[in-house]
Amino acid sequence: MMNERIRQFEYYLLFESGEKSENFEWDEELSPDELDAYNEFREFSLSLEESPLMGGVLKRVEKKILSGNLEDFVMTDEDYRLFVSIPMQ
């Protein structure tokens, strides 16, 4: 049975050359308050300034993705930056 508090996030890598990786999906379990904030964020197309709780969730997801050894996944020595977002569809 799927956990009803798991929501999907998307992320991609932007390399210093300007190349962008494909989008990847990440599932994250949210607290009840975070779940409410996620749903409001999507329903009302809020910005992160309007939803600081979601900003914190995005930072948490980013840390989890980065701690998953992206260096093993990235096949280049080029520096990159990780971008995490909430799918709006």
Side-chain angles (χ1 to χ4, degrees):
M1 182 172 138
M2 185 173 158
N3 185 331
E4 294 177 8
R5 293 194 343 214
I6 292 178
R7 290 297 180 266
Q8 191 174 82
F9 294 82
E10 294 178 342
Y11 69 95
Y12 66 89
L13 303 175
L14 183 63
F15 297 93
E16 63 184 345
S17 66
E19 279 194 58
K20 178 182 175 265
S21 74
E22 64 182 283
N23 281 340
F24 299 95
E25 295 175 350
W26 179 271
D27 291 334
E28 181 72 13
E29 184 173 353
L30 304 178
S31 72
D33 287 344
E34 291 169 343
L35 188 57
D36 289 343
Y38 180 96
N39 292 335
E40 284 179 9
F41 188 91
R42 290 186 56 172
E43 183 177 345
F44 300 111
S45 298
L46 299 178
S47 69
L48 289 176
E49 290 77 29
E50 295 170 303
S51 183
L53 185 56
M54 286 316 305
V57 170
L58 289 176
K59 286 188 187 318
R60 180 177 79 222
V61 168
E62 181 178 325
K63 284 181 184 177
K64 285 183 177 182
I65 293 169
L66 288 172
S67 71
N69 296 318
L70 274 181
E71 292 77 28
D72 295 340
F73 169 75
V74 177
M75 303 300 186
T76 177
D77 291 334
E78 194 175 0
D79 285 338
Y80 60 86
R81 184 155 174 228
L82 174 70
F83 289 89
V84 179
S85 63
I86 298 167
M88 296 307 281
Q89 305 171 13

